[in-house]
Amino acid sequence: MPGVLKALEEILSDSNRSEALAGLKSGSMSVEDLKKSKEDTRGNGVVYTNGHSEVEGDRVQAPSTDATNPNAVAIPGMESLHVGQLPPEIEHITFGYLPISRIITRLAQDTFNGLNDVISEMADLVVPQPSLNAPPSYLNPHINSNGTDDKLDANVRKKERLFDFAKDRRAQFIKILVLLDWSRQMDAISKVIDLKVWLDGQRKIYEDATLWMGELRRLLGPLRMSNPDLKTALAALSLGKAPWLPDLGYIPPKPLSPQELLRSLQHINTELSIRLNLHEKLPPSFRDFSIGSGRATFQVRDEFELELSIADQDPQSQFYFVDFRFGFSPVSAELPDGFLRDEIERRTNDVLKREGLSGCYEFLHDLVLTHKLNILKHQAYDMVRGLWSQNLKVEGVHRSLVVQYWLNRPGGKNWIELGIKRGSSKTSSTRPNKISPHIALRWFRSGKEVPIAKANLRLGDLSLQRILSQVIAMHTSFIFEQTANRLKVGLIYSSRLLNLKNVPSVTKPLDATLLVQLTTSKVVKLIQEPVTGRFALLPSSPLYSRVEQRLNSLQDPASEAIAQLASLRAVVSVEEVEMRALSYGWEVIKSLNPGQGAIRRLFPRDTGGIKFFRGRGWSQVWILAFTASLMKDTWWVVELEDRKDEIEPGTILGNPTLRAGPNFKNAFEVRMKELKSLITEPSYSTLAQVEHAAASMISQYIDTRELKARKVPHGLRPLPSGSPGPCSAILDLSLPSHPNASSPRQHVSSSPHCFGDTIALAFQSIDPVTHKAIHTVRACLRNPIPNIKDLTSNLEHLSFHPTSGFFSFRLLTSVGEVTIPLLLDRLASIERLIQFLVVIRQHNLPCKSISLTKLRFVYPIAMSRLKATIHFSSDEPMHISLEKGNPHLRIQDFLNEHLQSQNDGLGQTIRILGSTLPLLDAFTAIESTHTTDGVHIFPRSAIWYQIHYQNPKGRFDLKLRRKGDNPMWHIKDVLRQEERTVVVEQAMKSIKEGRGTGWCGMNGGIVAEFTAIKRLLRQIDDIYRDAATSVSAVALAAPPPLSSPLPPPLAQKKQQQPEHPKQHKGFLGSNPPIPPPPLQLPPQQTAPVAPMGSRKRKAEDE
């Protein structure tokens, strides 16, 4: 193999060397061509030339050239190779290899799939069942199965199908086996593949080189020059003359000097100026000229420039042609030397000789017009072959050009004609008042000629595409203008509720647009594609695509497109309202289908689209309907169910636009305060406005019907036109002054109500959280409370006027739910609240928070600021709640009993709170001083308590009794005589028989005022604690007898203790407490002993 390759290289190098030498000698091949053909192929990333390359190691070098002579080229193959040089390695092929495992996996998967198919096919072949009368064979059970007879056609086909499949699979696996055997010799096979690819590449190189040389020989044939006259050339170059050449004897003119040449040109300029200004009658188009360099240059705008000169001073001599240039594009301004220039020069000189400047102008003007038409015709054919293919038809008739556009649009034909329009006479070029021949345009739209005045042909820069674009732009603008005028007939666009903008264009068809605002958020732009004439709606969408198809099928879109755009606006408006309604939270009712007949009777006849909705939290009886048309977009309130009690629809809010259909009971048109708000306002605010207005109509409708059923006097009072809010009327209802059995107010209170008879009910809005209707109620108190505004300042949804007695509150109901029952219940709650406020005001207690279900106040006695909350909701018994750490938690159950009493329950509770607070504070202090369970306090009622001491034993009864007009605490020692200790008895004797500030002993007991009970109980507790300490100390040694006298120090201490009340300053406080109001004591109550727990009650014992 290396020997064969080397021989091929030597043959190729010899042939290329000889061919290169022959080409250089004959001049048919240049150095650049030789360099270019030096490298003609690439193999294995190494460049191979037609000869040998110099190889040094792993680097390949191109043949060298002579630096001194750039035209000298080293011919490939002339240099000798180095001894022992190896050829470059061939390329290793790796592309297209697949792992054998993948082939085996795919074959296995294909075999599995094929086996499943074969099994399915065999199962589809039905085998005839044996006859029922045939006796079964018990000797061979196989006979009774499907294989009764192997010779049946079905069984034979099954076996053949299975055999064919196995045979085919066997052949495939044999191929895999062969591939596996080949894969064991992968390295050798890979080398064979690399060698095969390399040999194919070399063969391709040889074939390409042969074809290239043959093509080069064929192309060089026409370029062969004739043999030169070497004899004449040699004589002329060596002797300077050839005797056999003829000599005409011409005397060469004396060459002009620069000064003489300049004087000659100035003289010619002067002659030209005199002749053109004085002697010649110039045509109008030649009046723009300039003189210089011995020639007159005439400029005809957008046509040509002509340079003429003279050869004689005689004014009657002719002008001579010097130069000619075209003055328009897209042609070359300068005429090249050749036949065309020579012909124009010959004819121009001939016309100048016969007809002068006027004939010259007409000749050249006619030439330019014809040339322009030919250029436009060539441009038209180029357009047909290009982008405008199958949409343009070009016809050339004599010296005119006819171009038909929009071939595939339905309707009449549209075309333009470009031709030469001549003036009234042939000599018009010499008469300024006549029109010279020029290129004119005629436009035919739908087969009728249309006067065209705005087209600018711009003949100085010829472009048929630009001219056609101008005509198409005017055609598109006409269609859009007619469509816009018809759309403005509707109220929506005529009153500018929605924008409609027609943008005409006379130059660019795509700039002519029709902007139609379908809704507040969607604007569609209608354009017409200039090439095909098809309409397009932007932005694109599936809905717009369907409308585009209908627009493109119209015969006369200028008059028929309005119907499609009106339908599109209705559909888009309904879809946007549906989308906004869904995101707003409304329910779209799709199952309701009233029928076309009902829709025509219920809604306007020009309705283009309709949709039904139900608001959030609305009753199932009421729905909303939205209709869209070119006149206006309307919302309707529709009642679905029939009811027994009806009110004349015309009397509801003075709305006469009520319609009824077979599937609906009533339908109200939602009247907005601003008609344009339905279209121009943002969508969400519009839906909220519609929802509020519809809810107001529904609420007043059903409330009026409810009051009529209850026979309650009522009336609708319209609001002023400028009042805010969706409500347009107020419902006034009158309640009787004194309730009776038949009054609708009989459940409010058992006493005459505290507000006036007339109550105003008005719809306000919809709650954004609960989606319920908010109603505002306004009434007036019969007896105004001066500071009721301050007392109810933090009361939500209820406000009072400080002087007039008017108050208002809000009610929340579902849309479609009657408000009257809730109104009467709320009036009862307000009346109860006012009664409680009167009680609070009488006791001068500050209120922290007030609502219609609870009242929280502070009762400041001494330094304490305790809070209590009265709950008086209608759905639970009235009760009081206290904060953690409040001393009155001991008697909370007893306070609830007083609070629930029918006769001044709140007043009694407040008085008990003030009377018992010092006592309960003392109880808390006593329990805090005992580290063990040495004392127990048992409340028997709100005004009766018991104190039990364990060591030493002691028991006291504390009851609130009246002494004269003042209630006082009466403390009585109820411990049995045999259980008493001498030490405690002697210490208590000083208290029972003594007197202190606010307390005194009386008949074996102690009577104390509210302000002194705390100090008194502290002294008693000190006696028992000291006694318990002394008893514990003596018991460690020798317990004294019970009748032993009290130690003197202890007795002195007990006698001195009442005289120093300041030692308990931190406990008692420095400021004197405020005495509570008189307390009305209930009859003495007895109750079973129910221990309330020991000291330091926990919060869970409340």
Side-chain angles (χ1 to χ4, degrees):
M1 180 63 68
V4 174
L5 293 178
K6 187 173 181 181
L8 291 174
E9 289 178 358
E10 291 177 356
I11 295 173
L12 181 62
S13 61
D14 293 338
S15 62
N16 289 341
R17 186 187 306 113
S18 59
E19 180 181 357
L21 290 175
L24 290 175
K25 291 179 180 179
S26 63
S28 61
M29 180 180 294
S30 63
V31 177
E32 286 76 10
D33 295 336
L34 185 60
K35 291 181 179 179
K36 190 177 300 182
S37 63
K38 186 171 57 177
E39 297 180 357
D40 60 350
T41 184
R42 286 183 178 268
N44 300 327
V46 181
V47 177
Y48 286 91
T49 63
N50 291 333
H52 294 283
S53 299
E54 297 180 4
V55 181
E56 296 180 4
D58 296 333
R59 184 178 58 188
V60 179
Q61 297 180 351
S64 61
T65 59
D66 188 359
T68 60
N69 186 7
N71 295 327
V73 179
I75 305 301
M78 297 299 293
E79 299 82 2
S80 60
L81 293 174
H82 295 285
V83 179
Q85 178 180 345
L86 295 177
E89 294 184 0
I90 62 176
E91 182 183 4
H92 180 60
I93 304 301
T94 58
F95 177 76
Y97 281 75
L98 292 177
I100 192 65
S101 59
R102 184 181 302 176
I103 299 176
I104 296 175
T105 303
R106 291 180 180 178
L107 180 60
Q109 182 65 35
D110 183 64
T111 303
F112 177 76
N113 295 337
L115 181 60
N116 289 335
D117 296 339
V118 170
I119 294 175
S120 300
E121 293 176 5
M122 293 173 63
D124 294 339
L125 298 176
V126 181
V127 179
Q129 298 294 332
S131 176
L132 297 177
N133 298 327
S137 177
Y138 300 99
L139 298 178
N140 189 4
H142 180 67
I143 298 178
N144 298 325
S145 63
N146 291 336
T148 303
D149 190 358
D150 291 342
K151 297 182 179 179
L152 294 176
D153 293 339
N155 289 335
V156 171
R157 287 197 299 271
K158 287 182 180 181
K159 292 179 181 180
E160 289 178 352
R161 182 69 183 89
L162 185 60
F163 178 78
D164 293 340
F165 173 76
K167 182 179 178 182
D168 177 69
R169 292 295 96 185
R170 179 176 177 274
Q172 295 295 331
F173 278 100
I174 289 175
K175 294 179 181 179
I176 291 296
L177 180 60
V178 173
L179 291 177
L180 287 174
D181 292 340
W182 280 88
S183 64
R184 295 187 181 95
Q185 302 177 3
M186 181 180 62
D187 295 337
I189 296 300
S190 177
K191 292 180 180 179
V192 172
I193 293 174
D194 296 344
L195 185 59
K196 173 69 168 55
V197 172
W198 183 83
L199 289 175
D200 292 342
Q202 294 298 316
R203 185 181 298 108
K204 181 67 169 55
I205 292 173
Y206 299 151
E207 293 175 356
D208 292 344
T210 304
L211 292 176
W212 176 78
M213 289 187 292
E215 184 68 15
L216 181 61
R217 181 180 181 84
R218 185 183 68 82
L219 294 176
L220 292 177
L223 301 179
R224 184 177 180 180
M225 298 178 63
S226 59
N227 295 329
D229 187 1
L230 298 179
K231 180 180 178 181
T232 305
L234 183 60
L237 292 175
S238 58
L239 301 178
K241 63 180 181 178
W244 54 88
L245 291 178
D247 187 6
L248 300 180
Y250 288 140
I251 301 175
K254 183 180 180 181
L256 296 176
S257 64
Q259 291 79 8
E260 292 176 345
L261 181 60
L262 180 59
R263 284 194 299 268
S264 299
L265 292 177
Q266 290 177 350
H267 177 70
I268 296 175
N269 293 340
T270 303
E271 293 295 333
L272 285 173
S273 178
I274 294 173
R275 181 171 178 176
L276 292 176
N277 289 294
L278 298 178
H279 301 285
E280 292 291 337
K281 188 176 181 181
L282 299 177
S285 299
F286 272 8
R287 291 178 181 178
D288 183 11
F289 64 91
S290 62
I291 299 176
S293 300
R295 66 188 68 183
T297 303
F298 298 93
Q299 296 179 354
V300 180
R301 184 180 178 183
D302 295 339
E303 292 189 12
F304 59 89
E305 291 184 4
L306 177 64
E307 293 183 356
L308 302 177
S309 187
I310 57 176
D312 194 350
Q313 296 181 357
D314 186 4
Q316 301 300 325
S317 63
Q318 79 168 68
F319 287 90
Y320 290 95
F321 177 91
V322 176
D323 197 3
F324 177 83
R325 293 182 295 272
F326 287 110
F328 60 92
S329 61
V331 295
S332 177
E334 298 290 341
L335 286 178
D337 295 336
F339 174 79
L340 178 61
R341 180 182 179 86
D342 296 341
E343 186 68 17
I344 292 176
E345 181 178 359
R346 184 183 65 80
R347 293 195 177 189
T348 303
N349 289 330
D350 184 61
V351 172
L352 286 172
K353 181 178 180 181
R354 290 184 291 102
E355 301 180 12
L357 293 178
S358 299
C360 177
Y361 167 75
E362 290 181 0
F363 164 69
L364 295 178
H365 177 64
D366 191 62
L367 172 66
V368 169
L369 293 182
T370 305
H371 190 43
K372 285 184 177 181
L373 287 177
N374 290 330
I375 292 175
L376 292 175
K377 185 181 298 184
H378 285 293
Q379 291 180 352
Y381 284 117
D382 290 339
M383 293 171 62
V384 172
R385 290 188 293 267
L387 181 63
W388 297 72
S389 177
Q390 299 181 358
N391 293 285
L392 212 63
K393 184 178 180 181
V394 180
E395 294 182 2
V397 182
H398 300 292
R399 294 178 68 186
S400 63
L401 176 65
V402 179
V403 180
Q404 181 184 354
Y405 60 94
W406 294 352
L407 296 180
N408 299 321
R409 271 208 60 84
K413 295 181 179 181
N414 307 284
W415 73 89
I416 61 173
E417 291 184 5
L418 286 168
I420 298 177
K421 185 176 182 181
R422 296 189 176 275
S424 57
S425 65
K426 195 172 182 180
T427 61
S428 60
S429 59
T430 62
R431 304 173 65 180
N433 57 344
K434 297 297 181 177
I435 301 176
S436 62
H438 61 279
I439 295 178
L441 172 68
R442 299 176 65 191
W443 177 25
F444 293 84
R445 186 179 62 210
S446 298
K448 299 179 181 180
E449 185 175 1
V450 179
I452 181 170
K454 298 180 180 180
N456 183 12
L457 300 182
R458 292 175 59 184
L459 298 178
D461 183 14
L462 294 179
S463 175
L464 180 64
Q465 184 172 358
R466 184 183 63 248
I467 297 173
L468 188 60
S469 297
Q470 292 183 23
V471 175
I472 293 176
M474 290 186 287
H475 195 165
T476 303
S477 300
F478 169 76
I479 295 175
F480 291 166
E481 182 181 2
Q482 296 297 317
T483 305
N485 294 335
R486 287 175 170 81
L487 285 175
K488 289 180 181 179
V489 176
L491 181 61
I492 289 180
Y493 295 108
S494 62
S495 58
R496 297 185 178 181
L497 298 179
L498 290 178
N499 295 325
L500 177 64
K501 185 177 181 181
N502 177 30
V503 183
S505 176
V506 295
T507 56
K508 297 181 180 180
L510 291 178
D511 290 345
T513 58
L514 179 62
L515 297 175
V516 183
Q517 186 181 11
L518 304 178
T519 61
T520 55
S521 60
K522 289 186 179 180
V523 178
V524 63
K525 181 166 70 172
L526 179 62
I527 62 174
Q528 192 172 22
E529 206 277 323
V531 177
T532 61
R534 296 180 61 85
F535 292 98
L537 293 173
L538 301 178
S540 60
S541 69
L543 175 61
Y544 295 168
S545 299
R546 294 192 294 270
V547 178
E548 288 177 8
Q549 293 178 0
R550 294 194 292 268
L551 287 174
N552 292 322
S553 63
L554 299 177
Q555 295 289 332
D556 186 9
S559 60
E560 299 174 2
I562 180 176
Q564 303 300 329
L565 293 179
S567 175
L568 173 64
R569 191 214 161 264
V571 173
V572 171
S573 181
V574 169
E575 285 185 355
E576 179 170 324
V577 169
E578 180 180 358
M579 179 184 65
R580 297 287 183 179
L582 286 174
S583 59
Y584 189 68
W586 288 3
E587 175 189 359
V588 179
I589 304 175
K590 299 182 179 179
S591 59
L592 186 62
N593 186 13
Q596 292 296 328
I599 290 178
R600 292 191 185 96
R601 289 189 297 271
L602 283 167
F603 308 106
R605 293 186 177 275
D606 60 346
T607 298
I610 186 170
K611 205 70 178 180
F612 299 99
F613 307 93
R614 180 175 286 113
R616 293 168 291 185
W618 281 33
S619 171
Q620 297 295 323
V621 179
W622 297 93
I623 62 173
L624 278 169
F626 174 77
T627 59
S629 65
L630 282 180
M631 297 304 297
K632 63 177 180 177
D633 292 346
T634 312
W635 287 91
W636 304 79
V637 175
V638 181
E639 187 178 8
L640 297 180
E641 296 180 356
D642 293 331
R643 298 188 180 182
K644 296 180 179 179
D645 299 329
E646 292 188 11
I647 300 177
E648 292 299 328
T651 63
I652 301 301
L653 305 181
N655 185 2
T657 59
L658 176 69
R659 308 179 182 212
N663 296 329
F664 303 101
K665 179 185 176 182
N666 296 319
F668 301 90
E669 180 181 350
V670 179
R671 293 297 181 89
M672 311 296 291
K673 293 186 177 180
E674 297 182 5
L675 294 178
K676 64 179 182 179
S677 64
L678 288 173
I679 301 174
T680 59
E681 293 296 327
S683 298
Y684 287 115
S685 62
T686 301
L687 293 181
Q689 190 179 5
V690 170
E691 186 178 23
H692 290 180
S696 174
M697 296 174 59
I698 295 172
S699 299
Q700 291 182 357
Y701 180 81
I702 60 178
D703 288 341
T704 306
R705 186 164 55 191
E706 178 69 17
L707 291 174
K708 184 177 180 181
R710 290 174 178 258
K711 298 181 180 180
V712 176
H714 63 278
L716 286 173
R717 174 164 46 92
L719 289 175
S721 58
S723 5
C727 183
S728 58
I730 296 178
L731 180 62
D732 293 331
L733 58 149
S734 300
L735 296 180
S737 301
H738 299 281
N740 50 58
S742 61
S743 173
R745 215 189 124 72
Q746 60 186 357
H747 64 283
V748 175
S749 176
S750 59
S751 60
H753 55 275
C754 59
F755 35 81
D757 296 335
T758 302
I759 299 173
L761 175 63
F763 175 85
Q764 182 179 2
S765 62
I766 294 179
D767 187 84
V769 178
T770 61
H771 308 296
K772 292 188 176 182
I774 302 176
H775 305 270
T776 302
V777 182
R778 190 171 184 268
C780 182
L781 296 176
R782 291 185 180 275
N783 298 317
I785 301 176
N787 62 340
I788 190 170
K789 180 175 178 58
D790 299 333
L791 294 175
T792 60
S793 59
N794 58 349
L795 185 62
E796 189 178 3
H797 305 321
L798 179 62
S799 61
F800 287 86
H801 193 270
T803 57
S804 63
F806 282 96
F807 68 93
S808 62
F809 60 90
R810 294 196 301 176
L811 296 176
L812 272 73
T813 59
S814 300
V815 178
E817 180 184 353
V818 182
T819 315
I820 303 303
L822 180 61
L823 169 63
L824 298 179
D825 292 340
R826 186 61 55 85
L827 290 176
S829 300
I830 294 175
E831 188 171 7
R832 188 184 302 112
L833 174 63
I834 292 174
Q835 294 174 0
F836 287 172
L837 289 177
V838 171
V839 175
I840 295 296
R841 179 169 173 268
Q842 291 174 356
H843 291 81
N844 297 324
L845 297 179
C847 293
K848 288 296 183 181
S849 63
I850 297 176
S851 68
L852 296 179
T853 57
K854 62 182 179 178
L855 176 65
R856 191 178 187 189
F857 60 90
V858 178
Y859 48 101
I861 305 298
M863 295 299 295
S864 302
R865 296 189 64 84
L866 303 177
K867 299 179 182 63
T869 304
I870 305 298
H871 301 268
F872 49 91
S873 178
S874 58
D875 54 354
E876 61 179 353
M878 189 161 45
H879 62 280
I880 186 172
S881 62
L882 304 172
E883 296 179 346
K884 184 178 180 181
N886 195 313
H888 286 98
L889 287 172
R890 297 176 185 272
I891 59 172
Q892 185 174 6
D893 295 337
F894 299 119
L895 293 176
N896 289 333
E897 294 177 2
H898 283 278
L899 188 62
Q900 296 169 7
S901 63
Q902 295 295 330
N903 187 13
D904 195 17
L906 180 60
Q908 286 285 346
T909 303
I910 292 176
R911 286 189 286 272
I912 290 175
L913 290 175
S915 303
T916 58
L917 181 59
L919 177 65
L920 297 177
D921 281 342
F923 288 164
T924 303
I926 290 173
E927 289 178 344
S928 64
T929 57
H930 291 267
T931 58
T932 60
D933 295 339
V935 63
H936 295 281
I937 300 173
F938 302 98
R940 301 300 182 181
S941 68
I943 57 175
W944 179 17
Y945 305 88
Q946 285 187 352
I947 302 176
H948 292 187
Y949 285 95
Q950 302 297 329
N951 185 22
K953 289 186 176 295
R955 184 175 300 170
F956 297 92
D957 251 359
L958 289 83
K959 294 183 179 180
L960 189 63
R961 295 181 178 179
R962 185 174 298 281
K963 182 179 181 183
D965 294 335
N966 298 324
M968 303 185 69
W969 286 105
H970 181 267
I971 303 175
K972 184 178 181 181
D973 190 354
V974 296
L975 186 64
R976 290 180 297 180
Q977 188 66 32
E978 60 272 12
E979 296 179 358
R980 300 180 181 180
T981 60
V982 178
V983 177
V984 176
E985 187 67 22
Q986 290 180 359
M988 287 296 298
K989 185 177 181 181
S990 61
I991 296 178
K992 293 178 181 181
E993 297 178 358
R995 179 184 295 272
T997 305
W999 61 273
C1000 65
M1002 183 182 297
N1003 298 329
I1006 307 171
V1007 177
E1009 298 177 356
F1010 296 153
T1011 58
I1013 187 64
K1014 194 171 184 179
R1015 295 193 301 272
L1016 179 61
L1017 292 179
R1018 181 58 183 270
Q1019 292 180 15
I1020 296 174
D1021 184 65
D1022 289 343
I1023 292 174
Y1024 276 87
R1025 285 192 297 105
D1026 293 342
T1029 303
S1030 61
V1031 169
S1032 300
V1034 174
L1036 294 175
L1042 295 175
S1043 58
S1044 60
L1046 188 67
L1050 183 59
Q1052 294 177 3
K1053 181 178 179 181
K1054 295 304 177 184
Q1055 292 177 1
Q1056 296 173 0
Q1057 185 176 358
E1059 299 177 1
H1060 301 280
K1062 292 183 180 181
Q1063 63 182 350
H1064 303 293
K1065 180 177 179 180
F1067 174 75
L1068 298 176
S1070 59
N1071 298 327
I1074 301 174
L1079 177 66
Q1080 298 179 5
L1081 298 179
Q1084 185 173 357
Q1085 301 177 1
T1086 60
V1089 178
M1092 299 296 290
S1094 60
R1095 62 183 178 84
K1096 297 182 180 178
R1097 291 176 176 267
K1098 297 183 178 180
E1100 56 268 14
D1101 295 333
E1102 297 178 6

